[in-house]
């Protein structure tokens, strides 16, 4: 049986943001799936974007992830600016934050919230997932990304002997906690998101199928197109670092915006 570390390592995801404040990852990411890899007897947690508990926010509110501000260099007696970097301007028809500023913080926030959107099981049904991606990805990439999700989810459902991963028997929860900017230029950003994912079947006595958790990373690429940051690609990053490793300190924090916190 693969170790939890190996199990959590092979993800398929896209994800989160850079400098500034972070709003809750609102949606889906491609990644952290559960499919067994190359004959392993354990599932592979490709990235599943974090979901917000139904009771965690007021009705009608979509929390947004944004990069947390860098430490202020202002004197202690000077009022800090009230603007939050990277905050989107609107919510689309799927409840996904869109309309980001043309800045590094905006790119980071877009990655985080898009990851959360496609990591949400409700957005991954075959009847919905293509429209979800069309609402946040480049038009020429939307079908490819959606078909990847559909294919991976079919394999994962098979592994768990289920008709669908939307079954209430499935534990499928992700939380993005940090990010790093691999590269940024005016029209393109490559972000790595770092967080925790849990997946498995509630109450299952088989340790390979029971809920497990692991730390890992997802890679997200967004480009500036038609006045917004659009998802171009998503992929799994390495499963490391664990939260107990010094390398975990290199990831910047997110803030949750719009949830009354």
């Amino acid at each position: 049986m693969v170790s939890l570390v190996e199990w959590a390592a092979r993800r398929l995801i896209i994800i989160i943001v850079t400098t500034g404040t972070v709003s809750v990852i609102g949606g889906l990411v491609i990644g952290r799936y559960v499919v067994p890899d190359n004959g392993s007897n354990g599932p592979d947690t490709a990235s599943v974007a974090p979901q917000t508990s139904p009771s965690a926010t007021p009705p009608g509110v979509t929390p947004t992830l944004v990069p947390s501000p860098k430490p202020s260099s202002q004197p202690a007696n000077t009022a800090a600016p009230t603007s939050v970097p990277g905050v989107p301007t609107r919510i689309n028809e799927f409840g996904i934050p869109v309309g980001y500023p043309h800045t590094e913080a905006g790119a980071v926030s877009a990655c985080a919230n898009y990851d959360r959107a496609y990591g949400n099981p409700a957005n991954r049904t075959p009847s919905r997932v293509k429209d979800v991606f069309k609402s946040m990805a480049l038009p020429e990439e939307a079908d490819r990304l959606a078909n990847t999700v559909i294919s991976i989810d079919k394999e994962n459902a098979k592994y768990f002997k289920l008709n669908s991963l939307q079954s209430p028997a499935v534990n499928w929860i992700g939380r993005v906690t940090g990010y790093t900017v691999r590269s940024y230029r005016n029209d393109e950003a490559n972000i790595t998101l770092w967080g925790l994912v849990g997946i498995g079947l509630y109450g299952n006595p088989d340790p390979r199928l029971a809920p497990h958790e692991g730390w890992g990373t997802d890679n997200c690429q967004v480009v500036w197109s038609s006045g917004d940051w659009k998802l171009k690609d998503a992929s799994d990053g390495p499963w490391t670092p664990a939260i107990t490793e010094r390398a975990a300190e290199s990831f910047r924090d997110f803030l949750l915006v719009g949830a009354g916190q």
Side-chain angles (χ1 to χ4, degrees):
M1 186 177 80
V2 296
S3 68
L4 174 60
V5 167
E6 292 170 322
W7 181 69
R10 298 177 290 274
R11 276 166 292 231
L12 170 59
I13 66 171
I14 304 179
I15 294 184
I16 237 165
V17 268
T18 74
T19 322
T21 335
V22 185
S23 61
V24 173
I25 301 179
L28 329 188
V29 183
I30 295 256
R32 294 193 190 114
Y33 304 126
V34 196
V35 190
D37 182 47
N38 296 329
S40 67
N41 8 347
D44 178 15
T45 50
S47 70
V48 170
Q51 293 173 259
T52 302
S53 166
S55 60
T57 59
V61 173
T62 298
T64 302
L65 285 171
V66 296
S68 82
K70 293 179 178 177
S72 174
S73 58
Q74 296 177 317
N77 60 353
T78 302
T82 56
S83 61
V84 177
V87 175
T89 58
R90 62 190 187 279
I91 304 296
N92 72 14
E93 66 270 34
F94 299 100
I96 302 169
V98 294
Y100 295 91
H102 194 181
T103 61
E104 183 179 298
V108 171
S109 191
C111 271
N113 289 292
Y114 294 163
D115 177 282
R116 184 170 185 245
Y118 66 69
N120 181 344
N123 285 333
R124 297 170 74 103
T125 61
S127 62
R128 182 177 175 90
V129 67
K130 290 191 176 183
D131 288 337
V132 165
F133 274 105
K134 286 174 183 175
S135 78
M136 62 186 184
L138 290 173
E140 63 270 26
E141 304 295 347
D143 280 351
R144 176 182 64 84
L145 293 169
N147 287 334
T148 299
V149 166
I150 291 170
S151 175
I152 289 292
D153 283 3
K154 280 182 181 176
E155 292 301 313
N156 288 337
K158 245 188 246 183
Y159 178 82
F160 286 114
K161 298 178 174 59
L162 298 170
N163 292 326
S164 166
L165 289 183
Q166 281 71 38
S167 166
V170 177
N171 165 288
W172 183 354
I173 299 173
R175 294 290 184 269
V176 174
T177 62
Y179 69 91
T180 187
V181 180
R182 301 196 314 279
S183 67
Y184 175 79
R185 60 176 187 261
N186 191 47
D187 60 349
E188 180 182 301
N190 289 278
I191 312 299
T192 291
L193 302 174
W194 173 67
L196 180 72
V197 62
I199 190 160
L201 299 180
Y202 287 110
N204 197 293
D206 186 339
R208 296 170 301 175
L209 302 181
H212 283 68
E213 62 194 34
W215 290 90
T217 58
D218 299 319
N219 296 324
C220 170
Q221 182 181 33
V222 290
V223 298
W224 187 257
S225 176
S226 302
D228 202 359
W229 289 107
K230 299 287 187 178
L231 185 62
K232 181 177 181 180
D233 200 13
S235 63
D236 299 340
W239 58 264
T240 53
I243 197 171
T244 51
E245 296 177 19
R246 188 173 295 275
E249 298 176 10
S250 66
F251 289 86
R252 294 186 58 82
D253 293 336
F254 281 104
L255 293 180
L256 178 57
V257 172
Q261 300 180 3

